[in-house]
Amino acid sequence: MSESPEQRVVLVTGAAGGMGAGHARTLAAAGWSVVLADVADCTPVLDEIVAAGATASAVSLDVTDRTQWDDALEHVRATHGALHGLVNNAGISRRLRFMDTTPDVWRQVLAINLDGPFHGTQVCAPLMRDSGGGSIVNISSIAGQIGYFSPSYSTSKWALRGLTKSAAGELAAWGIRVNSVHPGLVETPLLSGSDGFVASATASIPAGRLGRPQEVSDVVAFLLGHGSSYMTGAELTVDGGLVSNGTYHRIIEDMEGTL
Ligand code: NAD
């Protein structure tokens, strides 16, 4: 990527709220032109970014719909003329246990969390190649690194990790890097209504707290930028140590004074 910062263009899915909106704000502040894409209305986030002096636009996009992806790409081409970054962030979680997960829930979660990034990568890669290369960041989860009770969510995030590595190998020839980010528990609406779950999970986090959305956005910005120019097919875990040390952290806490 040889362009100056103000010429770099990134599309962020699920940018109307939660962490996607945070990624969009962070990237805009870092000089990116940001395309906000969501099924929900992105106007409030767009207005905020433009009011802060950055270049941005918004497009309506259901990531499960290939035709809408084609239309979104046309919007990027017509409005910004190039594309250097894609953040496949849109995702949903249905915290249903294995035997409670209906076929409809299974299909819906896989369609948004996995089909979405597949469509986005295939549709956006040619313009990224023609723009001089770029970086794709797939927002997976620690549920894509460990066993997680909700099969639709866990499977979608494990599969997104595989999609990332497959695309990284294939798109390297086009100068496009593809990496995944694996947030742990982060304070967003995705976790609203699950206070008991969060309290219990926090006891297994060595850092002793949930993550802040900005701490994930900073990693996304790193993977989009020149500082990670030799990274592709990699996965970055952003979880306060939950995956690497959660089990023994909890055991030692429980055994305090008796070890
Ligand atoms: P969120 O629910 O706050 O926001 C998700 C956004 O995606 C919303 O704006 C929603 O409108 C949009 N969206 C949903 N379906 C869509 C579709 N079909 N097409 C386009 N947009 C759609 O979620 P969040 O917590 O900000 O999570 C963002 C990403 O981070 C997700 O992929 C999620 O799985 C992942 N993640 C979140 C956590 C966490 O603790 N919150 C942890 C690990 C990973």
Side-chain angles (χ1 to χ4, degrees):
M1 293 189 288
S2 56
E3 288 77 9
S4 64
E6 40 300 340
Q7 291 174 307
R8 289 184 295 158
V9 182
V10 60
L11 186 151
V12 181
T13 68
M19 286 200 274
H23 303 333
R25 288 188 197 97
T26 295
L27 294 168
W32 289 81
S33 295
V34 181
V35 182
L36 309 159
D38 205 303
V39 277
D41 182 13
C42 290
T43 310
V45 183
L46 175 67
D47 290 348
E48 198 188 311
I49 287 175
V50 171
T55 305
S57 66
V59 63
S60 176
L61 172 67
D62 177 344
V63 295
T64 68
D65 187 326
R66 183 69 170 226
T67 305
Q68 291 192 27
W69 267 111
D70 291 336
D71 293 346
L73 188 76
E74 254 338 286
H75 163 88
V76 173
R77 207 189 289 277
T79 310
H80 303 276
L83 185 66
H84 311 92
L86 169 65
V87 184
N88 284 312
N89 162 81
I92 62 167
S93 174
R94 295 287 176 264
R95 274 183 294 280
L96 294 168
R97 300 187 68 161
F98 197 97
M99 297 306 291
D100 298 326
T101 298
T102 63
D104 283 350
V105 166
W106 171 266
R107 185 83 299 277
Q108 183 195 22
V109 174
L110 268 290
I112 295 173
N113 295 6
L114 181 61
D115 297 5
F118 170 72
H119 293 315
T121 300
Q122 271 199 343
V123 169
C124 292
L127 180 58
M128 293 176 77
R129 173 200 58 201
D130 296 345
S131 305
S135 171
I136 297 174
V137 179
N138 290 327
I139 306 298
S140 179
S141 164
I142 58 168
Q145 297 178 307
I146 56 175
Y148 179 69
F149 69 89
S150 171
S152 57
Y153 191 72
S154 193
T155 302
S156 72
K157 296 303 188 179
W158 273 88
L160 183 53
R161 193 173 161 202
L163 177 71
T164 300
K165 294 185 195 314
S166 173
E170 193 72 9
L171 299 179
W174 288 1
I176 299 171
R177 301 181 295 106
V178 191
N179 296 287
S180 58
V181 174
H182 300 259
L185 292 161
V186 184
E187 291 166 359
T188 69
L190 196 84
L191 291 180
S192 65
S194 54
D195 293 348
F197 175 84
V198 169
S200 179
T202 303
S204 291
I205 301 174
R209 61 171 176 83
L210 299 187
R212 291 183 276 272
Q214 186 64 50
E215 293 173 307
V216 181
S217 295
D218 289 342
V219 174
V220 170
F222 166 70
L223 286 175
L224 284 170
H226 297 297
S228 60
S229 56
Y230 200 52
M231 288 180 70
T232 195
E235 52 198 68
L236 289 182
T237 305
V238 188
D239 71 342
L242 178 56
V243 167
S244 64
N245 282 280
T247 304
Y248 276 102
H249 174 74
R250 191 165 193 139
I251 290 170
I252 287 170
E253 290 280 299
D254 288 349
M255 294 182 68
E256 192 63 46
T258 62
L259 265 181

